[in-house]
Amino acid sequence: MKPPVKIKVFVDFDGTITTTDVGEAMFIKFGNEEKNRSIIKDWISKQIDSSAMWQQLCDTIDFFDEPAFNSFLDTIKLDEGFKSFVSFCTEFEIPIVVLSDGLDLYIKKIMSREGLSEIPVFCNTVEIAPDSKLIMGFPYTDEECKRCGNCKRNHIIDLSSDEDFTIYIGDGLTDTCPVQYCDYIFAKSSLLKFCEINRISYYPFNNFYEIKERIEELSLKKRLKKRHQAQLKRREIYIQG
């Protein structure tokens, strides 16, 4: 059954769908831990952008041990309520799109393992070279903003219209831009702090069971009020073409 209002859900991956930041954990485990923590710290403090961070992290791995990496992925868990949330969205015909500044190398393997391959995923790419080095790819960068390797804002603009009520679910730094263009925000961790500081209305969450319950309430309403500031920011992009 379709809800009365056209709802579209955009969701972050690392630390949101998963219980840990997989990308960070991956490079700390398989690369130079001390150096990689320093690289990540430089990114958090905005000394380097996301693309530079990922490339530098990849450069710390001289030989990528794929079997060991696959064993590592077996330890990664999803939020306990995520699959239930996906089933709910399927029942109500609410589209879900995963937007991540992480890597397809682990995201698509985890989604496939969990039987969730049908959910569209937009993220950065990695290839394993013949010499077992990692080669980064950034198919979704934005020419005017280099902060993130994958511009989540652009996906939201491209995949929604003024008729849609857009929902964003996230937890981290790369979510601070896209939430400014969405009508309803579920936030935790550093994203929650960002929303508070910038006076962006949000709904705090601990797990996807809470999100499911809230969206179910929203989906039954005949009319949903869009966030005015998000509408204005979307229109700025539409005008720019």
Side-chain angles (χ1 to χ4, degrees):
M1 182 180 70
K2 289 185 179 180
V5 179
K6 293 182 179 179
I7 295 175
K8 288 188 176 178
V9 174
F10 299 94
V11 56
D12 171 56
F13 187 81
D14 287 83
T16 301
I17 291 176
T18 57
T19 57
T20 58
D21 187 317
V22 186
E24 180 177 335
M26 165 190 168
F27 283 99
I28 288 174
K29 181 175 179 62
F30 293 98
N32 182 309
E33 180 175 352
E34 183 178 353
K35 187 174 183 180
N36 286 343
R37 287 190 184 279
S38 177
I39 293 169
I40 293 168
K41 185 178 179 180
D42 286 345
W43 172 72
I44 292 173
S45 63
K46 299 184 179 180
Q47 294 183 50
I48 59 174
D49 62 26
S50 178
S51 300
M53 177 195 71
W54 285 122
Q55 190 59 63
Q56 289 180 32
L57 290 173
C58 284
D59 290 343
T60 67
I61 298 180
D62 295 322
F63 180 89
F64 184 70
D65 188 337
E66 192 168 7
F69 175 69
N70 290 333
S71 296
F72 159 75
L73 290 186
D74 289 338
T75 68
I76 302 300
K77 297 180 180 180
L78 302 189
D79 179 288
E80 61 179 354
F82 184 66
K83 285 189 175 181
S84 175
F85 174 71
V86 171
S87 296
F88 159 76
C89 288
T90 300
E91 178 184 352
F92 278 78
E93 298 183 47
I94 298 173
I96 305 175
V97 178
V98 173
L99 302 180
S100 173
D101 202 35
L103 313 177
D104 65 346
L105 185 66
Y106 59 82
I107 294 174
K108 291 189 176 180
K109 283 186 177 183
I110 292 172
M111 295 292 279
S112 176
R113 180 193 74 193
E114 299 293 336
L116 300 170
S117 296
E118 76 280 0
I119 299 176
V121 174
F122 296 89
C123 60
N124 303 314
T125 64
V126 179
E127 291 184 14
I128 304 173
D131 62 355
S132 294
K133 294 282 286 184
L134 297 178
I135 302 173
M136 285 297 309
F138 302 99
Y140 305 114
T141 54
D142 184 87
E143 292 182 1
E144 296 181 2
C145 176
K146 301 295 183 181
R147 175 62 181 154
C148 297
N150 175 30
C151 183
K152 298 183 180 184
R153 179 204 69 181
N154 287 353
H155 294 302
I156 291 168
I157 297 298
D158 291 343
L159 298 173
S160 63
S161 68
D162 272 341
E163 296 179 357
D164 299 320
F165 185 82
T166 53
I167 293 175
Y168 193 89
I169 307 167
D171 79 311
L173 293 177
T174 62
D175 303 314
T176 58
C177 171
V179 297
Q180 298 177 57
Y181 298 84
C182 288
D183 298 305
Y184 200 93
I185 298 146
F186 290 92
K188 64 178 180 178
S189 302
S190 62
L191 178 62
L192 183 152
K193 294 177 182 178
F194 173 84
C195 290
E196 287 184 340
I197 292 170
N198 291 276
R199 298 183 179 181
I200 297 173
S201 58
Y202 69 93
Y203 190 95
F205 77 97
N206 294 304
N207 57 60
F208 274 86
Y209 289 124
E210 297 172 353
I211 295 172
K212 172 188 170 184
E213 183 177 343
R214 181 57 183 149
I215 293 183
E216 186 169 17
E217 294 172 357
L218 294 173
S219 69
L220 297 176
K221 292 185 177 182
K222 292 183 178 180
R223 185 176 181 276
L224 291 172
K225 185 177 180 181
K226 296 183 180 181
R227 201 165 61 87
H228 182 61
Q229 289 301 317
Q231 286 182 301
L232 293 178
K233 291 188 77 69
R234 288 196 298 264
R235 285 169 187 168
E236 286 178 10
I237 302 300
Y238 295 147
I239 291 172
Q240 292 173 10

